Amino acid sequence: AATIKAISELVTVDPGEDAILNCTVDGNPLTPDHIRWERDGYDLRAKTTTGYANGTGTLVVKDAQREDVGNFRCIADNRVAAADSRNVLLIVK
């Protein structure tokens, strides 16, 4: 099963900075498709980009502003067992 080994617990940035959230996952199989980010009522496509390297999924919140403050959920799911998820709190000063 895919499990989250490490995650950015709290990310703090100044307004206008890019916020980088990381989620390191272990599992077999494990591909970029097995890590995703969610946030209810938030347009991830408009404000963020994602990346993946060496088992770590990255979410970049571009030009972070106060309205971006809140929890972003990293979900690890390789469909072997139940998905694992953890939250990362983004604070914009």
Side-chain angles (χ1 to χ4, degrees):
T3 56
I4 296 172
K5 295 193 313 185
I7 194 160
S8 305
E9 296 291 339
L10 173 66
V11 175
T12 304
V13 296
D14 289 318
E17 288 185 344
D18 290 350
I20 301 170
L21 290 59
N22 291 305
C23 183
T24 302
V25 176
D26 189 25
N28 188 12
L30 187 63
T31 71
D33 294 336
H34 296 143
I35 301 174
R36 70 182 190 276
W37 294 88
E38 286 183 354
R39 179 168 162 182
D40 293 338
Y42 187 86
D43 189 356
L44 286 168
R45 286 192 189 109
K47 279 289 291 206
T48 68
T49 58
T50 58
Y52 175 85
N54 302 319
T56 298
T58 303
L59 179 76
V60 179
V61 180
K62 300 281 190 188
D63 184 29
Q65 301 296 326
R66 290 194 186 273
E67 61 267 18
D68 300 316
V69 169
N71 280 310
F72 290 83
R73 184 176 306 111
C74 173
I75 300 164
D77 185 5
N78 64 359
R79 296 162 196 80
V80 172
D84 190 12
S85 68
R86 302 240 320 255
N87 287 335
V88 178
L89 178 60
L90 172 61
I91 300 287
V92 180
K93 296 179 191 171

